[in-house]
């Protein structure tokens, strides 16, 4: 054992100690890169459209409720309108649920799109600077030195590429 130590053979722990490890914060990529801000604007437009559809649905419900308040309605008209109102409420609830699902799906798709683009930048920077491991979730590690944060470099590269 002493002969191995004196011969300079590297132990696995020594090899790991020589490796450079970095990280990239995906949320910052989304928030601070040009491509991320564009994606967020697109998502905001989708959210606004979904909100408009929900407001229109609520307006239809309120109009029908106002008609139901008319004291001159016959019993059959009253029941028919109440039935229509129930259907509108159910459609409204489904619209809200579907809108939320659509926005969540689109958000996940946009994040995946950005991260796919960032991957090329990340690989390029990691190879250039000699990193052997780059994490994309710095929160799962107890401590990472700030100098290992490649996020700014990846954002700059993303902005230049896209």
């Amino acid at each position: 054992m002493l002969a191995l130590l004196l011969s300079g053979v590297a132990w696995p722990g020594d090899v790991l100690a020589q490796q450079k490890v970095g990280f990239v914060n995906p949320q910052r990529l989304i928030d601070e890169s040009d491509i991320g801000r564009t994606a967020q604007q697109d998502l905001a437009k989708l959210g606004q459209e979904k909100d408009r559809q929900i407001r229109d649905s609520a307006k239809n419900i309120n109009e029908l409720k106002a008609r139901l308040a008319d004291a001159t309605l016959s019993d059959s008209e009253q029941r028919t309108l109440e039935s229509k109102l129930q259907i509108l409420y159910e459609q409204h609830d489904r619209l809200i649920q579907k809108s939320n699902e659509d926005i969540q799906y689109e958000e996940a798709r946009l994040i995946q799109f950005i991260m796919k683009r960032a991957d090329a930048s990340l690989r390029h920077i990691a190879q250039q600077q000699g990193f052997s491991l780059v994490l994309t979730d710095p929160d799962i590690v107890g401590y990472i030195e700030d100098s290992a944060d490649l996020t700014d470099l990846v954002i700059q590269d993303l902005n230049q590429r896209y």
Side-chain angles (χ1 to χ4, degrees):
M1 177 106 136
L2 184 58
L4 283 174
L5 285 173
L6 294 175
S7 69
V9 173
W11 289 88
D14 293 337
V15 172
L16 288 176
Q18 296 170 4
Q19 303 293 317
K20 282 178 74 175
V21 176
F23 75 92
V24 172
N25 185 325
Q27 189 60 52
R28 281 193 54 218
L29 292 179
I30 293 164
D31 292 344
E32 299 175 25
S33 68
D34 293 342
I35 192 171
R37 284 191 286 266
T38 300
Q40 286 180 332
Q41 290 169 353
D42 291 346
L43 193 59
K45 287 177 188 175
L46 176 65
Q48 290 169 350
E49 176 58 25
K50 296 295 184 180
D51 285 346
R52 184 196 59 76
Q53 292 172 356
I54 291 169
R55 281 192 311 273
D56 289 347
S57 174
K59 179 183 171 194
N60 291 339
I61 289 172
N62 289 331
E63 288 172 355
L64 189 54
K65 284 170 65 176
R67 285 181 54 201
L68 274 167
D70 184 358
T72 62
L73 292 174
S74 70
D75 285 343
S76 68
E77 290 173 322
Q78 181 88 16
R79 282 191 300 275
T80 302
L81 289 179
E82 286 172 353
S83 207
K84 286 182 180 179
L85 183 61
Q86 182 63 34
I87 290 169
L88 285 180
Y89 273 127
E90 290 169 4
Q91 289 173 343
H92 184 76
D93 288 343
R94 281 194 303 271
L95 178 63
I96 290 171
Q97 182 179 0
K98 178 81 167 96
S99 294
N100 289 336
E101 289 170 0
D102 289 350
I103 289 171
Q104 289 172 355
Y105 172 79
E106 201 58 30
E107 182 177 35
R109 195 177 73 74
L110 289 173
I111 289 169
Q112 186 178 43
F113 175 80
I114 293 165
M115 292 308 294
K116 190 173 186 175
R117 297 296 186 277
D119 189 54
S121 296
L122 176 61
R123 288 178 188 277
H124 175 75
I125 291 167
Q127 287 172 352
Q128 260 187 344
Q129 296 196 6
F131 284 88
S132 57
L133 177 68
V134 177
L135 305 170
T136 57
D137 189 354
D139 295 329
I140 63 170
V141 178
Y143 172 77
I144 297 178
E145 188 176 316
D146 287 342
S147 65
D149 187 352
L150 303 175
T151 307
D152 289 331
L153 296 172
V154 174
I155 289 171
Q156 291 169 3
D157 194 63
L158 271 173
N159 289 346
Q160 288 174 353
R161 287 179 187 237
Y162 302 101

